[in-house]
Amino acid sequence: PERELTRAQDDLRRAHGETRREQKMRELAFDLGRELHGSLDIDQVAARFLLAAQARLRSVMVALVVPDAASGTLTPLAVRGDGFDRLSGIEVARGGELMCLLEGLARPVLRRDLERFPELAAETHRMVAAGVALVSPLRGRGGLTGLLLADERLDGAEFEPAQLEMAGGLCEIAA
């Protein structure tokens, strides 16, 4: 009986945690969707998106990387924080292995996980040098439309699973 009670309490705590997580994701979608709705100015949309991402990830710097109109190569469009100079040399090739991996995963990826793939070193070395700690794809109907880059958290701690999920949700909404 006592073991069953403990198990029931654990199940209740898990269910409560899951409900709170889902509620936070709905609030995020509603809040960000409301902020972005009706704006056709890409700079304004980027600024609002990056503000929301920086606040939820608690990062010093966040950046939006989108395809360049002329080359199609992804380059930084907007940066929030102190990173524009650090990110100025970052280019992500449309058909490269990094883009294929990110599009296939369709979720945020930590830099340390990308560093496990030696074949990505040529494409990720500038991100590593710039201190990028998180890369999150923006996937629209036509596939990958951009990337959210973030450096370390303000407190130096690792990104929590809930923050990674939040980054994925933000990117899905913004795409």
Side-chain angles (χ1 to χ4, degrees):
E2 192 172 315
R3 208 177 314 172
E4 290 176 22
L5 178 61
T6 301
R7 196 172 319 141
Q9 288 172 333
D10 289 344
D11 289 345
L12 183 60
R13 274 192 283 277
R14 250 190 316 279
H16 179 68
E18 184 69 22
T19 301
R20 288 186 63 218
R21 184 185 65 74
E22 288 176 12
Q23 182 180 1
K24 284 184 178 186
M25 288 302 285
R26 277 194 301 277
E27 288 171 4
L28 167 70
F30 180 74
D31 291 346
L32 185 60
R34 188 180 63 227
E35 285 181 34
L36 299 180
H37 181 71
S39 180
L40 297 177
D41 179 14
I42 188 68
D43 293 328
Q44 187 178 44
V45 170
R48 289 178 178 174
F49 169 64
L50 291 177
L51 178 64
Q54 188 178 41
R56 285 163 180 86
L57 293 172
R58 292 184 249 146
S59 289
V60 174
M61 182 275 305
V62 291
L64 178 60
V65 179
V66 298
D68 177 71
S71 68
T73 301
L74 277 72
T75 57
L77 169 73
V79 177
R80 181 163 173 84
D82 66 346
F84 202 82
D85 291 337
R86 287 190 284 153
L87 299 177
S88 63
I90 290 180
E91 292 183 350
V92 181
R94 265 295 214 193
E97 290 187 44
L98 177 61
M99 286 292 284
C100 290
L101 176 69
L102 293 171
E103 192 158 15
L105 290 174
R107 64 171 174 77
V109 181
L110 298 171
R111 177 188 66 218
R112 71 168 184 257
D113 294 331
L114 292 175
E115 290 177 313
R116 293 180 188 169
F117 298 95
E119 62 273 17
L120 296 178
E123 293 183 84
T124 59
H125 76 278
R126 288 193 175 160
M127 287 185 200
V128 171
V132 171
L134 177 68
V135 180
S136 188
L138 280 79
R139 288 181 43 104
R141 289 190 179 121
L144 203 122
T145 60
L147 302 172
L148 169 67
L149 307 179
D151 67 358
E152 305 294 333
R153 284 181 29 167
L154 288 168
D155 60 7
E158 292 285 323
F159 288 106
E160 299 165 6
Q163 288 178 303
L164 298 177
E165 189 174 351
M166 189 72 64
L170 279 169
C171 289
E172 193 173 313
I173 293 164

